Amino acid sequence: MNGLFRVLVQGAIGRALAGFLAGALVWLVVEPMFPKAGNLGIAFSASPEWVRAERALIVGTILAIGIACGFIQGLAKGSRHHLWVTTLLAAVFTFVGGMMGWQVSGVIFQAMMGAQVMAQRDGDPTTIVRVFTFIPLGIGIGLGLGVSQLNVRGAMSGAFGGLIGGAVTGMIFNPISTVLGTAMVANANPGEVVEIGAPGRAVLTAGIGLLVGLFTALAEQASRRAWVRLVVGRNEGRDWPIDNQQTLIGRDERAGIPLFGDGSVAKHHATIVRQGGQYLLMDAGTPAGIGHNGIRVPQAVLQHGDTFQIGGHQLQFFLRGMGRPQPVAMVNPGAQPAPMTPIVQNPSVQNPAVQPMPQPMGAATVAIPAQPMATSAYQLVVLSGPMAGHRQFLTDQFEIGREGTGLRLTTDSQASRRHCLVSTAAGQVTVTDLNSTNGTYINGQRVTSSPLRPGDVLRIGGTEMRLENPVA
């Protein structure tokens, strides 16, 4: 479920789906407002009723796409502040850009149709007319979505994605609307006058929402130069592009990389500073400090594939065009790593004051027992609570609780002293509640004894953990 959530929120699929649903919803609401040809005669498209319906369709589509796609963009940033601010900005900028694009589209349509009539061709708009008419509308919507990111890269990729989305919408408009319109005429009663514009309007609203959402997201992903990925911790797998001169990292809702669920992370914990082609990670003077490739440092120049630790969160830095980095060696949050020799990937760059990364100091100190010898490939990944990001390899049997012999939740007041027993036998993991006060839950359902399968989420008190089988 978490993987699906990340795909929908951060991938192009999510924004495309949001744009499609927004456009389709507007079409469903506004389409009944369009007058029927039988009521107004051949001049129905010039009637006041038609003009009002057309305006409502275009304005509603632009605004709905801005809100829906902006919501997805904000959700991907990982905090409520970013969610609502990005949604609002996207709605405003998309409305302004889309309305300007619509006006330009109208001018282009009139000019191209005038030239087509002068050439004594068919009076129906050709595909090339549709393409050049929809391109300005797509650019306006895409530019609005991009400008809401408040950086130049976002604006440029949004405009480019909107251009492609508008052009493709124009290419598919005539073929789809012709097929559906022909079917409407074939199913009409003999002698009945049929207005066959409904399929085309559906293609315009839902199609441009789908395609502009898709191509703006793809353009953003293709144009980003540097980004950071959370590899261990709450919401692992989330990406944040590094676009600004300074990107704040911490528990603040307004941080460029917000990290929650860990008391050892300060509101402003660290900063990534972009200096020309280099990216410098700097500690903000926090007690827990920052780790770079497993070593505590006050600052470090980030290279492609480098990992760094912020409290119990482990993140990885990426640069475009540098190939696939080496797999990340997982670090147990709160554990005391052995001293390591600094890894200098650029001999001209040295990381000053290098020292081993200590146990983070925050609102609560989490005691993590030494890992027993694993007897299966299964492991529990803690998703929430003070131990978020910790990975526990399974033995044949071990207990979880505030005084558990396997996984000790010393700071979780909602967990019982001996909360539940996790056992592994014949390749199957079973969870048995030990008469705990607050109960044991698997995927939100309270259980007394139940199998635990890969991907299932086990909740004990205020702590959630997911079963994984990496070698499966």
Side-chain angles (χ1 to χ4, degrees), residues 62-63 65-67 70 73 85-101 137-151 155:
I62 293 171
L63 192 57
I65 293 173
I67 293 173
Q73 289 175 314
V85 169
T86 303
T87 302
L88 177 61
L89 291 176
V92 172
F93 289 130
T94 302
F95 178 76
V96 173
M99 293 300 293
M100 293 176 63
L137 179 60
I139 291 176
I141 295 174
L143 181 62
L145 293 175
V147 171
S148 68
Q149 304 300 308
L150 301 180
N151 58 69

PDB file of all heavy atoms in Angstrom, residues 62-63 65-67 70 73 85-101 137-151 155:
ATOM      1  N   ILE A  62     -10.062  24.535 -16.245  1.00  0.00           N
ATOM      2  CA  ILE A  62      -8.774  25.116 -15.875  1.00  0.00           C
ATOM      3  C   ILE A  62      -8.605  25.119 -14.359  1.00  0.00           C
ATOM      4  O   ILE A  62      -7.568  24.709 -13.823  1.00  0.00           O
ATOM      5  CB  ILE A  62      -8.652  26.545 -16.447  1.00  0.00           C
ATOM      6  CG1 ILE A  62      -8.584  26.507 -17.972  1.00  0.00           C
ATOM      7  CG2 ILE A  62      -7.439  27.263 -15.867  1.00  0.00           C
ATOM      8  CD1 ILE A  62      -8.693  27.881 -18.622  1.00  0.00           C
ATOM      9  N   LEU A  63      -9.618  25.603 -13.659  1.00  0.00           N
ATOM     10  CA  LEU A  63      -9.523  25.709 -12.205  1.00  0.00           C
ATOM     11  C   LEU A  63      -9.451  24.335 -11.542  1.00  0.00           C
ATOM     12  O   LEU A  63      -8.670  24.119 -10.608  1.00  0.00           O
ATOM     13  CB  LEU A  63     -10.732  26.490 -11.676  1.00  0.00           C
ATOM     14  CG  LEU A  63     -10.671  26.951 -10.208  1.00  0.00           C
ATOM     15  CD1 LEU A  63      -9.436  27.809  -9.980  1.00  0.00           C
ATOM     16  CD2 LEU A  63     -11.937  27.722  -9.859  1.00  0.00           C
ATOM     17  N   ILE A  65      -8.333  21.463 -12.821  1.00  0.00           N
ATOM     18  CA  ILE A  65      -7.028  20.838 -13.066  1.00  0.00           C
ATOM     19  C   ILE A  65      -5.968  21.459 -12.165  1.00  0.00           C
ATOM     20  O   ILE A  65      -5.121  20.754 -11.593  1.00  0.00           O
ATOM     21  CB  ILE A  65      -6.636  20.981 -14.550  1.00  0.00           C
ATOM     22  CG1 ILE A  65      -7.573  20.151 -15.431  1.00  0.00           C
ATOM     23  CG2 ILE A  65      -5.186  20.540 -14.768  1.00  0.00           C
ATOM     24  CD1 ILE A  65      -7.359  20.361 -16.915  1.00  0.00           C
ATOM     25  N   GLY A  66      -6.006  22.780 -11.997  1.00  0.00           N
ATOM     26  CA  GLY A  66      -5.045  23.443 -11.127  1.00  0.00           C
ATOM     27  C   GLY A  66      -5.144  22.956  -9.703  1.00  0.00           C
ATOM     28  O   GLY A  66      -4.131  22.664  -9.045  1.00  0.00           O
ATOM     29  N   ILE A  67      -6.369  22.843  -9.177  1.00  0.00           N
ATOM     30  CA  ILE A  67      -6.551  22.396  -7.793  1.00  0.00           C
ATOM     31  C   ILE A  67      -6.131  20.945  -7.629  1.00  0.00           C
ATOM     32  O   ILE A  67      -5.400  20.594  -6.689  1.00  0.00           O
ATOM     33  CB  ILE A  67      -8.026  22.594  -7.374  1.00  0.00           C
ATOM     34  CG1 ILE A  67      -8.368  24.091  -7.315  1.00  0.00           C
ATOM     35  CG2 ILE A  67      -8.301  21.929  -6.027  1.00  0.00           C
ATOM     36  CD1 ILE A  67      -9.833  24.370  -7.084  1.00  0.00           C
ATOM     37  N   GLY A  70      -2.301  20.511  -8.315  1.00  0.00           N
ATOM     38  CA  GLY A  70      -1.588  21.198  -7.246  1.00  0.00           C
ATOM     39  C   GLY A  70      -1.655  20.432  -5.944  1.00  0.00           C
ATOM     40  O   GLY A  70      -0.676  20.402  -5.179  1.00  0.00           O
ATOM     41  N   GLN A  73       0.903  17.714  -6.179  1.00  0.00           N
ATOM     42  CA  GLN A  73       2.241  18.286  -6.039  1.00  0.00           C
ATOM     43  C   GLN A  73       2.552  18.609  -4.583  1.00  0.00           C
ATOM     44  O   GLN A  73       3.649  18.331  -4.091  1.00  0.00           O
ATOM     45  CB  GLN A  73       2.352  19.567  -6.885  1.00  0.00           C
ATOM     46  CG  GLN A  73       2.379  19.329  -8.382  1.00  0.00           C
ATOM     47  CD  GLN A  73       2.360  20.639  -9.160  1.00  0.00           C
ATOM     48  OE1 GLN A  73       1.575  21.539  -8.878  1.00  0.00           O
ATOM     49  NE2 GLN A  73       3.218  20.750 -10.153  1.00  0.00           N
ATOM     50  N   VAL A  85      -0.442  25.259   0.659  1.00  0.00           N
ATOM     51  CA  VAL A  85       0.154  26.390  -0.057  1.00  0.00           C
ATOM     52  C   VAL A  85       0.315  26.061  -1.541  1.00  0.00           C
ATOM     53  O   VAL A  85      -0.029  26.874  -2.413  1.00  0.00           O
ATOM     54  CB  VAL A  85       1.508  26.771   0.570  1.00  0.00           C
ATOM     55  CG1 VAL A  85       2.254  27.759  -0.327  1.00  0.00           C
ATOM     56  CG2 VAL A  85       1.307  27.388   1.948  1.00  0.00           C
ATOM     57  N   THR A  86       0.831  24.872  -1.845  1.00  0.00           N
ATOM     58  CA  THR A  86       1.022  24.496  -3.243  1.00  0.00           C
ATOM     59  C   THR A  86      -0.310  24.375  -3.972  1.00  0.00           C
ATOM     60  O   THR A  86      -0.436  24.783  -5.133  1.00  0.00           O
ATOM     61  CB  THR A  86       1.799  23.174  -3.345  1.00  0.00           C
ATOM     62  OG1 THR A  86       3.049  23.301  -2.659  1.00  0.00           O
ATOM     63  CG2 THR A  86       2.070  22.801  -4.795  1.00  0.00           C
ATOM     64  N   THR A  87      -1.319  23.819  -3.307  1.00  0.00           N
ATOM     65  CA  THR A  87      -2.643  23.707  -3.924  1.00  0.00           C
ATOM     66  C   THR A  87      -3.206  25.085  -4.247  1.00  0.00           C
ATOM     67  O   THR A  87      -3.738  25.320  -5.347  1.00  0.00           O
ATOM     68  CB  THR A  87      -3.606  22.958  -3.005  1.00  0.00           C
ATOM     69  OG1 THR A  87      -3.088  21.657  -2.704  1.00  0.00           O
ATOM     70  CG2 THR A  87      -4.972  22.804  -3.649  1.00  0.00           C
ATOM     71  N   LEU A  88      -3.085  26.022  -3.305  1.00  0.00           N
ATOM     72  CA  LEU A  88      -3.598  27.379  -3.529  1.00  0.00           C
ATOM     73  C   LEU A  88      -2.838  28.073  -4.655  1.00  0.00           C
ATOM     74  O   LEU A  88      -3.445  28.679  -5.554  1.00  0.00           O
ATOM     75  CB  LEU A  88      -3.486  28.186  -2.239  1.00  0.00           C
ATOM     76  CG  LEU A  88      -3.923  29.657  -2.325  1.00  0.00           C
ATOM     77  CD1 LEU A  88      -5.381  29.752  -2.720  1.00  0.00           C
ATOM     78  CD2 LEU A  88      -3.670  30.371  -0.997  1.00  0.00           C
ATOM     79  N   LEU A  89      -1.507  27.985  -4.619  1.00  0.00           N
ATOM     80  CA  LEU A  89      -0.717  28.628  -5.665  1.00  0.00           C
ATOM     81  C   LEU A  89      -1.018  28.038  -7.040  1.00  0.00           C
ATOM     82  O   LEU A  89      -1.126  28.767  -8.038  1.00  0.00           O
ATOM     83  CB  LEU A  89       0.778  28.496  -5.354  1.00  0.00           C
ATOM     84  CG  LEU A  89       1.307  29.291  -4.156  1.00  0.00           C
ATOM     85  CD1 LEU A  89       2.776  28.980  -3.923  1.00  0.00           C
ATOM     86  CD2 LEU A  89       1.102  30.786  -4.367  1.00  0.00           C
ATOM     87  N   ALA A  90      -1.139  26.715  -7.094  1.00  0.00           N
ATOM     88  CA  ALA A  90      -1.435  26.073  -8.377  1.00  0.00           C
ATOM     89  C   ALA A  90      -2.798  26.504  -8.899  1.00  0.00           C
ATOM     90  O   ALA A  90      -2.963  26.737 -10.113  1.00  0.00           O
ATOM     91  CB  ALA A  90      -1.381  24.555  -8.230  1.00  0.00           C
ATOM     92  N   ALA A  91      -3.789  26.621  -8.013  1.00  0.00           N
ATOM     93  CA  ALA A  91      -5.114  27.054  -8.448  1.00  0.00           C
ATOM     94  C   ALA A  91      -5.066  28.461  -9.026  1.00  0.00           C
ATOM     95  O   ALA A  91      -5.636  28.735 -10.095  1.00  0.00           O
ATOM     96  CB  ALA A  91      -6.091  26.992  -7.271  1.00  0.00           C
ATOM     97  N   VAL A  92      -4.362  29.375  -8.339  1.00  0.00           N
ATOM     98  CA  VAL A  92      -4.300  30.772  -8.786  1.00  0.00           C
ATOM     99  C   VAL A  92      -3.511  30.893 -10.089  1.00  0.00           C
ATOM    100  O   VAL A  92      -3.990  31.481 -11.082  1.00  0.00           O
ATOM    101  CB  VAL A  92      -3.676  31.659  -7.691  1.00  0.00           C
ATOM    102  CG1 VAL A  92      -3.436  33.079  -8.229  1.00  0.00           C
ATOM    103  CG2 VAL A  92      -4.574  31.702  -6.460  1.00  0.00           C
ATOM    104  N   PHE A  93      -2.294  30.343 -10.100  1.00  0.00           N
ATOM    105  CA  PHE A  93      -1.436  30.501 -11.288  1.00  0.00           C
ATOM    106  C   PHE A  93      -1.997  29.754 -12.496  1.00  0.00           C
ATOM    107  O   PHE A  93      -1.882  30.223 -13.642  1.00  0.00           O
ATOM    108  CB  PHE A  93      -0.021  30.023 -10.988  1.00  0.00           C
ATOM    109  CG  PHE A  93       0.746  30.936 -10.062  1.00  0.00           C
ATOM    110  CD1 PHE A  93       1.401  30.436  -8.955  1.00  0.00           C
ATOM    111  CD2 PHE A  93       0.797  32.297 -10.298  1.00  0.00           C
ATOM    112  CE1 PHE A  93       2.101  31.270  -8.104  1.00  0.00           C
ATOM    113  CE2 PHE A  93       1.494  33.150  -9.456  1.00  0.00           C
ATOM    114  CZ  PHE A  93       2.153  32.630  -8.353  1.00  0.00           C
ATOM    115  N   THR A  94      -2.582  28.578 -12.261  1.00  0.00           N
ATOM    116  CA  THR A  94      -3.162  27.831 -13.380  1.00  0.00           C
ATOM    117  C   THR A  94      -4.370  28.551 -13.954  1.00  0.00           C
ATOM    118  O   THR A  94      -4.586  28.570 -15.176  1.00  0.00           O
ATOM    119  CB  THR A  94      -3.555  26.412 -12.921  1.00  0.00           C
ATOM    120  OG1 THR A  94      -2.411  25.748 -12.409  1.00  0.00           O
ATOM    121  CG2 THR A  94      -4.106  25.599 -14.077  1.00  0.00           C
ATOM    122  N   PHE A  95      -5.162  29.162 -13.079  1.00  0.00           N
ATOM    123  CA  PHE A  95      -6.317  29.914 -13.565  1.00  0.00           C
ATOM    124  C   PHE A  95      -5.865  31.079 -14.434  1.00  0.00           C
ATOM    125  O   PHE A  95      -6.385  31.292 -15.545  1.00  0.00           O
ATOM    126  CB  PHE A  95      -7.144  30.427 -12.385  1.00  0.00           C
ATOM    127  CG  PHE A  95      -8.324  31.263 -12.790  1.00  0.00           C
ATOM    128  CD1 PHE A  95      -9.463  30.672 -13.309  1.00  0.00           C
ATOM    129  CD2 PHE A  95      -8.287  32.647 -12.677  1.00  0.00           C
ATOM    130  CE1 PHE A  95     -10.562  31.447 -13.706  1.00  0.00           C
ATOM    131  CE2 PHE A  95      -9.368  33.429 -13.064  1.00  0.00           C
ATOM    132  CZ  PHE A  95     -10.510  32.823 -13.582  1.00  0.00           C
ATOM    133  N   VAL A  96      -4.878  31.837 -13.959  1.00  0.00           N
ATOM    134  CA  VAL A  96      -4.381  32.983 -14.730  1.00  0.00           C
ATOM    135  C   VAL A  96      -3.756  32.513 -16.043  1.00  0.00           C
ATOM    136  O   VAL A  96      -4.078  33.033 -17.130  1.00  0.00           O
ATOM    137  CB  VAL A  96      -3.362  33.790 -13.906  1.00  0.00           C
ATOM    138  CG1 VAL A  96      -2.727  34.883 -14.762  1.00  0.00           C
ATOM    139  CG2 VAL A  96      -4.022  34.395 -12.670  1.00  0.00           C
ATOM    140  N   GLY A  97      -2.855  31.527 -15.973  1.00  0.00           N
ATOM    141  CA  GLY A  97      -2.195  31.037 -17.180  1.00  0.00           C
ATOM    142  C   GLY A  97      -3.161  30.388 -18.143  1.00  0.00           C
ATOM    143  O   GLY A  97      -3.080  30.597 -19.364  1.00  0.00           O
ATOM    144  N   GLY A  98      -4.080  29.592 -17.615  1.00  0.00           N
ATOM    145  CA  GLY A  98      -5.041  28.912 -18.475  1.00  0.00           C
ATOM    146  C   GLY A  98      -5.981  29.878 -19.184  1.00  0.00           C
ATOM    147  O   GLY A  98      -6.297  29.696 -20.368  1.00  0.00           O
ATOM    148  N   MET A  99      -6.444  30.919 -18.472  1.00  0.00           N
ATOM    149  CA  MET A  99      -7.338  31.891 -19.109  1.00  0.00           C
ATOM    150  C   MET A  99      -6.613  32.669 -20.203  1.00  0.00           C
ATOM    151  O   MET A  99      -7.185  32.946 -21.268  1.00  0.00           O
ATOM    152  CB  MET A  99      -7.895  32.847 -18.051  1.00  0.00           C
ATOM    153  CG  MET A  99      -8.836  32.186 -17.056  1.00  0.00           C
ATOM    154  SD  MET A  99     -10.298  31.459 -17.844  1.00  0.00           S
ATOM    155  CE  MET A  99     -11.134  32.919 -18.424  1.00  0.00           C
ATOM    156  N   MET A 100      -5.353  33.022 -19.956  1.00  0.00           N
ATOM    157  CA  MET A 100      -4.575  33.697 -21.007  1.00  0.00           C
ATOM    158  C   MET A 100      -4.376  32.769 -22.200  1.00  0.00           C
ATOM    159  O   MET A 100      -4.493  33.196 -23.367  1.00  0.00           O
ATOM    160  CB  MET A 100      -3.227  34.133 -20.446  1.00  0.00           C
ATOM    161  CG  MET A 100      -3.319  35.223 -19.386  1.00  0.00           C
ATOM    162  SD  MET A 100      -1.718  35.636 -18.656  1.00  0.00           S
ATOM    163  CE  MET A 100      -0.834  36.252 -20.087  1.00  0.00           C
ATOM    164  N   GLY A 101      -4.086  31.498 -21.934  1.00  0.00           N
ATOM    165  CA  GLY A 101      -3.934  30.529 -23.013  1.00  0.00           C
ATOM    166  C   GLY A 101      -5.205  30.348 -23.806  1.00  0.00           C
ATOM    167  O   GLY A 101      -5.169  30.204 -25.045  1.00  0.00           O
ATOM    168  N   LEU A 137      -3.569  26.701 -24.721  1.00  0.00           N
ATOM    169  CA  LEU A 137      -4.302  26.348 -23.508  1.00  0.00           C
ATOM    170  C   LEU A 137      -3.479  25.401 -22.649  1.00  0.00           C
ATOM    171  O   LEU A 137      -3.384  25.572 -21.421  1.00  0.00           O
ATOM    172  CB  LEU A 137      -5.637  25.700 -23.884  1.00  0.00           C
ATOM    173  CG  LEU A 137      -6.525  25.257 -22.712  1.00  0.00           C
ATOM    174  CD1 LEU A 137      -6.882  26.438 -21.824  1.00  0.00           C
ATOM    175  CD2 LEU A 137      -7.788  24.575 -23.241  1.00  0.00           C
ATOM    176  N   GLY A 138      -2.844  24.411 -23.288  1.00  0.00           N
ATOM    177  CA  GLY A 138      -1.993  23.484 -22.525  1.00  0.00           C
ATOM    178  C   GLY A 138      -0.801  24.178 -21.898  1.00  0.00           C
ATOM    179  O   GLY A 138      -0.453  23.913 -20.745  1.00  0.00           O
ATOM    180  N   ILE A 139      -0.172  25.094 -22.654  1.00  0.00           N
ATOM    181  CA  ILE A 139       0.978  25.830 -22.107  1.00  0.00           C
ATOM    182  C   ILE A 139       0.547  26.661 -20.906  1.00  0.00           C
ATOM    183  O   ILE A 139       1.249  26.709 -19.883  1.00  0.00           O
ATOM    184  CB  ILE A 139       1.604  26.727 -23.187  1.00  0.00           C
ATOM    185  CG1 ILE A 139       2.283  25.871 -24.263  1.00  0.00           C
ATOM    186  CG2 ILE A 139       2.620  27.690 -22.567  1.00  0.00           C
ATOM    187  CD1 ILE A 139       2.853  26.682 -25.412  1.00  0.00           C
ATOM    188  N   GLY A 140      -0.596  27.316 -21.007  1.00  0.00           N
ATOM    189  CA  GLY A 140      -1.068  28.144 -19.899  1.00  0.00           C
ATOM    190  C   GLY A 140      -1.308  27.341 -18.641  1.00  0.00           C
ATOM    191  O   GLY A 140      -0.902  27.741 -17.538  1.00  0.00           O
ATOM    192  N   ILE A 141      -1.963  26.186 -18.772  1.00  0.00           N
ATOM    193  CA  ILE A 141      -2.225  25.335 -17.607  1.00  0.00           C
ATOM    194  C   ILE A 141      -0.914  24.772 -17.054  1.00  0.00           C
ATOM    195  O   ILE A 141      -0.670  24.800 -15.844  1.00  0.00           O
ATOM    196  CB  ILE A 141      -3.191  24.201 -17.991  1.00  0.00           C
ATOM    197  CG1 ILE A 141      -4.557  24.761 -18.379  1.00  0.00           C
ATOM    198  CG2 ILE A 141      -3.343  23.216 -16.821  1.00  0.00           C
ATOM    199  CD1 ILE A 141      -5.522  23.723 -18.909  1.00  0.00           C
ATOM    200  N   GLY A 142      -0.068  24.243 -17.939  1.00  0.00           N
ATOM    201  CA  GLY A 142       1.198  23.675 -17.488  1.00  0.00           C
ATOM    202  C   GLY A 142       2.102  24.709 -16.844  1.00  0.00           C
ATOM    203  O   GLY A 142       2.761  24.439 -15.831  1.00  0.00           O
ATOM    204  N   LEU A 143       2.151  25.921 -17.414  1.00  0.00           N
ATOM    205  CA  LEU A 143       2.972  26.989 -16.841  1.00  0.00           C
ATOM    206  C   LEU A 143       2.482  27.347 -15.443  1.00  0.00           C
ATOM    207  O   LEU A 143       3.291  27.574 -14.526  1.00  0.00           O
ATOM    208  CB  LEU A 143       2.932  28.216 -17.748  1.00  0.00           C
ATOM    209  CG  LEU A 143       3.763  29.419 -17.303  1.00  0.00           C
ATOM    210  CD1 LEU A 143       5.239  29.056 -17.257  1.00  0.00           C
ATOM    211  CD2 LEU A 143       3.532  30.598 -18.235  1.00  0.00           C
ATOM    212  N   GLY A 144       1.171  27.395 -15.270  1.00  0.00           N
ATOM    213  CA  GLY A 144       0.627  27.684 -13.944  1.00  0.00           C
ATOM    214  C   GLY A 144       1.023  26.637 -12.926  1.00  0.00           C
ATOM    215  O   GLY A 144       1.407  26.957 -11.795  1.00  0.00           O
ATOM    216  N   LEU A 145       0.951  25.355 -13.308  1.00  0.00           N
ATOM    217  CA  LEU A 145       1.372  24.283 -12.401  1.00  0.00           C
ATOM    218  C   LEU A 145       2.857  24.392 -12.084  1.00  0.00           C
ATOM    219  O   LEU A 145       3.278  24.169 -10.950  1.00  0.00           O
ATOM    220  CB  LEU A 145       1.073  22.916 -13.027  1.00  0.00           C
ATOM    221  CG  LEU A 145      -0.397  22.535 -13.199  1.00  0.00           C
ATOM    222  CD1 LEU A 145      -0.519  21.213 -13.954  1.00  0.00           C
ATOM    223  CD2 LEU A 145      -1.079  22.430 -11.841  1.00  0.00           C
ATOM    224  N   GLY A 146       3.664  24.748 -13.086  1.00  0.00           N
ATOM    225  CA  GLY A 146       5.102  24.860 -12.868  1.00  0.00           C
ATOM    226  C   GLY A 146       5.483  26.049 -12.012  1.00  0.00           C
ATOM    227  O   GLY A 146       6.333  25.944 -11.127  1.00  0.00           O
ATOM    228  N   VAL A 147       4.842  27.194 -12.239  1.00  0.00           N
ATOM    229  CA  VAL A 147       5.152  28.397 -11.459  1.00  0.00           C
ATOM    230  C   VAL A 147       4.816  28.195  -9.993  1.00  0.00           C
ATOM    231  O   VAL A 147       5.460  28.783  -9.106  1.00  0.00           O
ATOM    232  CB  VAL A 147       4.393  29.611 -12.041  1.00  0.00           C
ATOM    233  CG1 VAL A 147       4.510  30.828 -11.124  1.00  0.00           C
ATOM    234  CG2 VAL A 147       4.929  29.953 -13.424  1.00  0.00           C
ATOM    235  N   SER A 148       3.835  27.345  -9.686  1.00  0.00           N
ATOM    236  CA  SER A 148       3.478  27.091  -8.280  1.00  0.00           C
ATOM    237  C   SER A 148       4.617  26.454  -7.501  1.00  0.00           C
ATOM    238  O   SER A 148       4.607  26.461  -6.267  1.00  0.00           O
ATOM    239  CB  SER A 148       2.239  26.185  -8.215  1.00  0.00           C
ATOM    240  OG  SER A 148       2.530  24.870  -8.673  1.00  0.00           O
ATOM    241  N   GLN A 149       5.640  25.906  -8.193  1.00  0.00           N
ATOM    242  CA  GLN A 149       6.805  25.352  -7.522  1.00  0.00           C
ATOM    243  C   GLN A 149       7.784  26.447  -7.095  1.00  0.00           C
ATOM    244  O   GLN A 149       8.751  26.175  -6.371  1.00  0.00           O
ATOM    245  CB  GLN A 149       7.529  24.365  -8.443  1.00  0.00           C
ATOM    246  CG  GLN A 149       6.659  23.234  -8.951  1.00  0.00           C
ATOM    247  CD  GLN A 149       6.097  22.391  -7.820  1.00  0.00           C
ATOM    248  OE1 GLN A 149       6.837  21.929  -6.968  1.00  0.00           O
ATOM    249  NE2 GLN A 149       4.787  22.227  -7.808  1.00  0.00           N
ATOM    250  N   LEU A 150       7.552  27.673  -7.565  1.00  0.00           N
ATOM    251  CA  LEU A 150       8.336  28.848  -7.168  1.00  0.00           C
ATOM    252  C   LEU A 150       9.810  28.716  -7.521  1.00  0.00           C
ATOM    253  O   LEU A 150      10.690  29.123  -6.754  1.00  0.00           O
ATOM    254  CB  LEU A 150       8.170  29.124  -5.660  1.00  0.00           C
ATOM    255  CG  LEU A 150       6.730  29.369  -5.181  1.00  0.00           C
ATOM    256  CD1 LEU A 150       6.711  29.625  -3.680  1.00  0.00           C
ATOM    257  CD2 LEU A 150       6.102  30.537  -5.943  1.00  0.00           C
ATOM    258  N   ASN A 151      10.099  28.120  -8.676  1.00  0.00           N
ATOM    259  CA  ASN A 151      11.464  28.086  -9.179  1.00  0.00           C
ATOM    260  C   ASN A 151      11.418  28.042 -10.709  1.00  0.00           C
ATOM    261  O   ASN A 151      10.402  27.666 -11.309  1.00  0.00           O
ATOM    262  CB  ASN A 151      12.273  26.911  -8.609  1.00  0.00           C
ATOM    263  CG  ASN A 151      11.660  25.559  -8.901  1.00  0.00           C
ATOM    264  OD1 ASN A 151      11.636  25.101 -10.035  1.00  0.00           O
ATOM    265  ND2 ASN A 151      11.134  24.913  -7.863  1.00  0.00           N
ATOM    266  N   ALA A 155       8.821  26.203 -13.686  1.00  0.00           N
ATOM    267  CA  ALA A 155       8.069  26.968 -14.680  1.00  0.00           C
ATOM    268  C   ALA A 155       8.380  26.480 -16.090  1.00  0.00           C
ATOM    269  O   ALA A 155       7.473  26.294 -16.916  1.00  0.00           O
ATOM    270  CB  ALA A 155       8.389  28.448 -14.544  1.00  0.00           C
TER     271      ALA A 155
END
